[in-house]
Amino acid sequence: MSHTPDIARMKRELAELIAIRTENPPGQEADAAVYVRDLLLSAGFAVDVVEYKPGRFNVEARMENGPGPVFAFNTHMDTVPAGDGWSSDPFILREADGKLYGRGACDCKGPLISMVEAMRMLASDRGAWSGTLLGVFVGDEEIASEGAKFYAAGRPKIDFAVVGEPTSNTTFAAHKGSLRPVVRVHGQAAHSGTPHLGDNAIYRAGQLLSLIEAHHNEVVRGRTHPLVGEASLTVTRISGGHADNVVPYVCDLLLDRRMVPGEDEAAVKQEFADLLALAHTRFGVRAEIVDYRATTGGATETAVDSTIVQTSMAACRSHGVSDPGPFGFQGGCDLVHFREIGAQGTVIGPGDLSVAHKPDEFVPTDEFVTASLIYRDVAISMLRG
């Protein structure tokens, strides 16, 4: 094996992985897990494939190379659905104008193949590092991070981690978290010709929404973080009524609460309860939280002055990134689950988040190749400790 990336092999493997459909829903990462397993077995890693629920898989590759810390690469095998509007087949890799097009090219099959190539380079140069190298490739990041949550629940020992997401090969050290409560507002059904005999749940929901908007403007958005910006609270769905001629007796709201690092989920949930209590006191609104929709997870950060953040930025800079960070994600990713088991970590990857989840998703070829070198160099630096 070589100490430098094999560009032709990387393109071929990205094409083969993109051709394996892992759209989530439904996910079905089985074939992708077998494909990734075989790549890493051939590079000399011990590999476990775990079916954490029917049809959903994680892959863990391990190479122990003497005493030292445990360093993990992580990204996900699932993608969002392809959708419409593509200029070419989203599952056939297309190269044009220095870009590689396909569903998952940057989110996150491009970073995954770059990580695999970095792991090959590290396996071929074991004299340069000491410790344990892991590749943790999971399912279901796009909806609920079930794969990463399952993996972290086993409390593996990991000292440092780099999570692959499209960051244009810059270093991200923080991301937001999210909670999505389903709020049910109750009313009283009546004939629409005699609405005064009922209690319109949609009107009641409107009264609650006024308090939600005020809470966002006056409280939530005042909580800020230097890398990810403002926290937020908004409503993303509303559903009420069951017949054209009946006063609605129920109305459901889906709220989206984005948390910044440092916010506590239990405290945020108490704020929801306080809002519903205020709506009842002020307007007589009867409402309850009936569910919490699955999300990627909470907010997290790794200290900017930590070794992994400084090392990550240095590696990005050494490979031509003029402003390597640190930055923060407005959305969530799996870094939080590695932080929860004690790992210090960053998020780095080729491609731009602005083209992820869209038709004609692509990763720049040069970033795709360079990412493997950045990954290699971060791992070597952290595994010298």
Side-chain angles (χ1 to χ4, degrees):
M1 287 183 285
S2 172
H3 296 182
T4 58
D6 183 328
I7 299 172
R9 176 175 61 194
M10 290 178 69
K11 290 181 182 178
R12 181 181 69 251
E13 291 174 351
L14 179 59
E16 291 169 350
L17 189 56
I18 284 174
I20 301 172
R21 297 178 65 151
T22 56
E23 296 164 285
N24 190 12
Q28 297 177 335
E29 300 95 353
D31 290 343
V34 169
Y35 181 79
V36 172
R37 177 201 67 188
D38 291 347
L39 294 182
L40 291 164
L41 282 173
S42 66
F45 288 82
V47 186
D48 287 326
V49 176
V50 176
E51 187 174 16
Y52 62 85
K53 64 184 295 186
R56 311 309 297 272
F57 291 84
N58 288 343
V59 177
E60 184 195 71
R62 174 181 294 265
M63 181 172 287
E64 296 179 358
N65 188 42
V70 180
F71 180 95
F73 290 118
N74 160 257
T75 192
H76 56 96
M77 297 180 288
D78 62 319
T79 70
V80 297
D84 299 323
W86 287 76
S87 301
S88 58
D89 189 325
F91 301 105
I92 298 177
L93 187 70
R94 175 171 65 91
E95 184 171 9
D97 301 321
K99 302 171 183 176
L100 300 166
Y101 292 86
R103 177 52 84 218
C106 73
D107 188 16
C108 238
K109 293 180 177 181
L112 193 156
I113 293 299
S114 295
M115 287 180 166
V116 168
E117 190 68 10
M119 293 172 72
R120 287 192 184 106
M121 289 186 279
L122 290 160
S124 70
D125 191 17
R126 298 187 203 188
W129 57 278
S130 182
T132 299
L133 175 63
L134 301 178
V136 181
F137 304 117
V138 299
D140 189 52
E141 188 272 350
E142 293 291 0
I143 291 182
S145 284
E146 286 185 344
K149 290 173 183 175
F150 178 89
Y151 182 78
R155 309 302 297 177
K157 181 188 183 300
I158 298 176
D159 298 295
F160 307 106
V162 171
V163 176
E165 292 285 349
T167 70
S168 299
N169 283 348
T170 62
T171 297
F172 280 55
H175 65 72
K176 289 182 177 180
S178 56
L179 283 172
R180 295 195 183 101
V182 179
V183 178
R184 179 157 295 163
V185 181
H186 297 281
Q188 176 63 52
H191 193 291
S192 60
T194 55
H196 61 285
L197 298 179
D199 185 11
N200 194 311
I202 292 177
Y203 289 163
R204 293 299 194 178
Q207 293 171 318
L208 175 59
L209 286 172
S210 69
L211 298 181
I212 290 170
E213 182 180 17
H215 186 63
H216 165 76
N217 291 330
E218 297 167 12
V219 178
V220 175
R221 68 181 303 181
R223 297 169 186 166
T224 64
H225 183 274
L227 297 185
V228 304
E230 298 178 352
S232 63
L233 172 63
T234 191
V235 58
T236 58
R237 290 181 184 270
I238 183 168
S239 175
H242 70 283
D244 292 351
N245 59 348
V246 177
V247 172
Y249 64 90
V250 70
C251 181
D252 286 351
L253 308 173
L254 179 62
L255 308 186
D256 186 298
R257 175 67 158 86
R258 297 297 168 130
M259 299 171 291
V260 299
E263 287 197 281
D264 177 71
E265 287 191 24
V268 171
K269 288 182 176 181
Q270 184 59 50
E271 288 182 3
F272 293 145
D274 293 343
L275 270 174
L276 300 189
L278 178 62
H280 184 264
T281 299
R282 186 171 297 180
F283 302 117
V285 172
R286 294 177 294 119
E288 61 180 324
I289 294 173
V290 295
D291 191 20
Y292 276 91
R293 295 282 176 84
T295 69
T296 303
T300 198
E301 64 181 326
T302 302
V304 170
D305 61 356
S306 66
T307 303
I308 184 68
V309 174
Q310 293 299 313
T311 296
S312 295
M313 290 193 297
C316 295
R317 187 181 294 110
S318 71
H319 288 286
V321 179
S322 59
D323 186 6
F327 303 111
F329 270 125
Q330 297 300 302
C333 74
D334 282 340
L335 177 61
V336 62
H337 306 299
F338 287 84
R339 294 288 292 118
E340 287 173 351
I341 59 175
Q344 300 287 308
T346 56
V347 184
I348 305 171
D352 192 321
L353 196 63
S354 67
V355 304
H357 298 195
K358 294 182 179 179
D360 292 337
E361 175 185 350
F362 69 87
V363 62
T365 305
D366 58 347
E367 288 186 16
F368 173 54
V369 175
T370 298
S372 68
L373 297 169
I374 294 172
Y375 292 148
R376 178 201 64 188
D377 290 355
V378 175
I380 285 177
S381 293
M382 301 312 299
L383 288 168
R384 285 175 178 157

